[in-house]
Amino acid sequence: MSPEAIKVCYSIFFYDGYVGIAPTIINLTKIFVRQNAAVDIYGTKNTYPSPGYLGENVNIAYFLKGTRLFNYLQKKGIKNIIPLGEFLFYFIPCFQKILQKTIRNISQSNSQPKQSINIAVDLYGAITALFFFLIFQQKFLFLSLELHDPNNYQGISRILTFLAKLAAQKSEAIIIQDQDRFQTFCQFYDYYHPQVFYLPNSTLAETDHSKNISENFFRQKFNLDTQQFPYILLQAGMIADAVYSQTLAQTFNQIEDKYTLVFHDRSPRQEDPYIQKLRQTNTHNLFLSLEPVPYNQLDEIYQAADIGLAFYQDLSNNFSQIALASGKLPQYLKQGKPVLVNNLPSLQVFVEKYQIGQVINDPTDPQEMQIAIAKILDNYEFYQNNALACFSAEFDFGNKVKPLLEFIEKKYCLE
């Protein structure tokens, strides 16, 4: 698309920068591109997989995090200044890059978009957008992916608490996954925003890649025989105690071999001590997939499973209120995969309402796990159809984003 055809330029301030594993960022970008918009994403360097090609007019800038400096300060016990330092390491190069682009666009007036729209992701992104609002009067939307409590900052970094809460008040709207997380957000930021849009951390219903998949990814990767290992149960995403990885490995070690447990990590993993411990815990039906795939190949991962696992420790609101914020759950449902979840209320509500699988009360109990799996397999088509219906009702990103797009059109006079 020629620069002259671009009507809008979106700037997404995404400090964490893990675009390749952020469905909300990827799919928002794809939808904006479909609307003849350019998208600039400003993040920090990370080890997560690339998002792949998102569009001709999509640019991603990654800045350094200053990790060595902040590790040094941590060792010296000067930790209260680190959050402020992290923000400045991000904001300064971000401001410079955008200023340079603005000057270049002014000198090339034909390529200047008609409208600039800023989307601020989480706390550092919101404060960045706040400064652009205060300096250049650029309006912005506050997108909450993670529930970060701004009240946790100490010492000189307390200035971030004030700025983050001001950003929430000055934003045009809050974009968050569901009502429960919005209530927590309002408590954290001491402000109940009158304009909120609920947008699940999900995927688009249609993909170009899924129709061309002919082989089972994990059967090919691990040479899994269908007679010896007829059923694949997958937990994708992080491999850590926060998602019961060690517990699940131990539990599956005590059930029938035919129930194959696969962990697929979202970032590259080596044979670190945790991985080695998992292998020692389960030697007969656990397989570890430690090489992530680009986002546009994720359908291969989720299609390869018979049942999807979504287990989360109750560590904080960010984990306990996870149903519509989980990246893996909608991917399972999109492929028609029944699920096993632990009994977090947010997950239990979805499983029981839509009858998309089974809830595990005790992840350490192999008997309960095996009975739950058998119930799903005995009525697989029923659960499969319900999974597809649940995705359509609750997780179809293309439908859920429509109210937000209508708001942007009216607020920014794009009609």
Side-chain angles (χ1 to χ4, degrees), residues 325-341:
S326 170
K328 68 189 75 171
L329 184 59
Q331 295 281 5
Y332 296 139
L333 301 178
K334 174 186 171 184
Q335 303 299 335
K337 306 301 179 182
V339 296
L340 288 173
V341 304

Side-chain angles (χ1 to χ4, degrees), residues 192-207:
Y192 196 98
H193 203 293
Q195 184 68 66
V196 59
F197 294 94
Y198 298 124
L199 188 62
N201 186 36
S202 186
T203 182
L204 297 167
E206 79 282 1
T207 58

Side-chain angles (χ1 to χ4, degrees), residues 203-241:
T203 182
L204 297 167
E206 79 282 1
T207 58
D208 297 328
H209 185 70
S210 60
K211 299 177 182 178
N212 301 321
I213 300 173
S214 59
E215 296 181 330
N216 185 292
F217 182 89
F218 293 120
R219 293 198 179 280
Q220 185 178 35
K221 181 180 180 66
F222 299 117
N223 194 26
L224 297 177
D225 179 72
T226 55
Q227 296 297 320
Q228 183 180 3
F229 301 107
Y231 304 110
I232 295 176
L233 287 87
L234 168 68
Q235 176 144 287
M238 70 174 75
I239 300 177
D241 284 342

Side-chain angles (χ1 to χ4, degrees), residues 11-13 87 90-91 94 98 117-143 163 167 170-171:
S11 292
I12 301 178
F13 301 123
F87 169 71
Y90 172 73
F91 175 76
C94 185
I98 293 176
I117 301 175
N118 294 338
I119 296 180
V121 182
D122 293 332
L123 196 143
Y124 289 170
I127 299 174
T128 299
L130 174 66
F131 278 106
F132 280 96
F133 170 77
L134 295 174
I135 298 171
F136 302 113
Q137 294 300 300
Q138 294 181 357
K139 299 176 182 179
F140 66 96
L141 309 171
F142 193 146
L143 169 59
L163 292 172
K170 296 298 183 182
S171 62

Side-chain angles (χ1 to χ4, degrees), residues 17 59 121 166 265 333 411:
N59 296 293
V121 182
L166 182 60
D265 210 319
L333 301 178
K411 194 69 180 181

Side-chain angles (χ1 to χ4, degrees), residues 20-268:
I21 61 165
T24 299
I25 303 300
I26 288 175
N27 293 302
L28 271 179
T29 299
K30 288 182 177 180
I31 287 173
F32 292 154
V33 169
R34 291 178 186 176
Q35 297 182 326
N36 297 338
V39 180
D40 294 324
I41 303 173
Y42 301 96
T44 53
K45 290 187 176 181
N46 57 82
T47 60
Y48 292 107
S50 164
Y53 180 74
L54 297 178
E56 179 183 355
N57 294 295
V58 177
N59 296 293
I60 306 177
Y62 294 107
F63 309 122
L64 295 175
K65 283 187 174 181
T67 304
R68 290 184 180 179
L69 171 62
F70 300 132
N71 286 343
Y72 174 80
L73 293 175
Q74 182 78 30
K75 291 178 181 178
K76 292 297 183 180
I78 314 172
K79 59 182 181 180
N80 288 341
I81 197 174
I82 292 176
L84 180 59
E86 288 176 336
F87 169 71
L88 292 175
F89 257 72
Y90 172 73
F91 175 76
I92 292 172
C94 185
F95 184 85
Q96 290 174 335
K97 193 170 188 68
I98 293 176
L99 189 60
Q100 291 170 357
K101 179 184 176 182
T102 302
I103 294 173
R104 184 171 62 251
N105 285 340
I106 291 174
S107 65
Q108 301 172 351
S109 58
N110 289 336
S111 65
Q112 186 176 8
K114 295 181 179 179
Q115 184 65 268
S116 294
I117 301 175
N118 294 338
I119 296 180
V121 182
D122 293 332
L123 196 143
Y124 289 170
I127 299 174
T128 299
L130 174 66
F131 278 106
F132 280 96
F133 170 77
L134 295 174
I135 298 171
F136 302 113
Q137 294 300 300
Q138 294 181 357
K139 299 176 182 179
F140 66 96
L141 309 171
F142 193 146
L143 169 59
S144 173
L145 291 185
E146 309 285 348
L147 287 172
H148 297 301
D149 189 348
N151 298 293
N152 289 335
Y153 295 116
Q154 302 296 325
I156 192 172
S157 292
R158 287 283 298 173
I159 184 64
L160 298 177
T161 302
F162 168 77
L163 292 172
K165 293 181 178 181
L166 182 60
Q169 296 172 25
K170 296 298 183 182
S171 62
E172 296 298 312
I174 305 298
I175 309 167
I176 200 165
Q177 294 87 3
D178 60 30
Q179 188 173 8
D180 288 341
R181 289 176 77 91
F182 179 59
Q183 294 296 329
T184 300
F185 179 94
C186 295
Q187 293 171 13
F188 284 171
Y189 287 84
D190 298 328
Y191 181 66
Y192 196 98
H193 203 293
Q195 184 68 66
V196 59
F197 294 94
Y198 298 124
L199 188 62
N201 186 36
S202 186
T203 182
L204 297 167
E206 79 282 1
T207 58
D208 297 328
H209 185 70
S210 60
K211 299 177 182 178
N212 301 321
I213 300 173
S214 59
E215 296 181 330
N216 185 292
F217 182 89
F218 293 120
R219 293 198 179 280
Q220 185 178 35
K221 181 180 180 66
F222 299 117
N223 194 26
L224 297 177
D225 179 72
T226 55
Q227 296 297 320
Q228 183 180 3
F229 301 107
Y231 304 110
I232 295 176
L233 287 87
L234 168 68
Q235 176 144 287
M238 70 174 75
I239 300 177
D241 284 342
V243 290
Y244 286 93
S245 296
Q246 183 69 28
T247 299
L248 291 170
Q250 187 171 358
T251 300
F252 272 76
N253 194 50
Q254 302 173 68
I255 68 176
E256 295 181 64
D257 288 0
K258 65 179 182 179
Y259 299 136
T260 307
L261 176 63
V262 175
F263 292 154
H264 175 78
D265 210 319
R266 60 184 183 175
S267 61

